[in-house]
Amino acid sequence: MTARPLTPEQIADRMASLDGWSIVDGKLHRDFVFDDFVTAFGFMARCALVAEALGHHPEWCNVYGRVTVRLTTHDAGGITDADFALAARMNDLAARR
């Protein structure tokens, strides 16, 4: 069963409780900034384990201490609950650095 994209109203409601994220080009977007490359890469490694467990994987890139993340559910053609679940977990992991 394919997830359904959330409506603009549902997205707006969920955004209110998701610190640091915005919508850019129809995707959840956040830049995480760390002190150095090792810390940023460690964050990505922890997120990769969570993403795999959720079966939902980010679009992301890393340049030194910055990790840029974009989340969307390609199969659904938009943002779904899975994107918000992964974003919230990423926030938790970033807070624990």
Side-chain angles (χ1 to χ4, degrees):
M1 180 176 186
T2 301
R4 290 185 164 180
L6 298 171
T7 66
E9 294 80 16
Q10 291 170 316
I11 291 170
D13 287 345
R14 285 168 175 80
M15 290 297 293
S17 63
L18 190 63
D19 292 335
W21 292 80
S22 61
I23 303 294
V24 176
D25 296 329
K27 300 175 184 181
L28 289 179
H29 178 272
R30 180 161 181 190
D31 288 321
F32 291 93
V33 179
F34 301 94
D35 292 335
D36 53 41
F37 174 75
V38 171
T39 306
F41 192 84
F43 167 74
M44 291 179 77
R46 290 188 306 279
C47 289
L49 296 173
V50 170
E52 185 65 18
L54 293 174
H56 192 63
H57 305 95
E59 293 178 18
W60 57 5
C61 69
N62 165 241
V63 177
Y64 190 66
R66 180 180 303 272
V67 177
T68 300
V69 180
R70 292 170 297 276
L71 299 175
T72 188
T73 303
H74 296 283
D75 292 348
I79 298 171
T80 67
D81 286 325
D83 299 301
F84 279 97
L86 183 54
R89 295 291 301 275
M90 292 176 115
N91 278 1
D92 291 342
L93 290 169
R96 293 185 207 161
R97 57 178 156 156

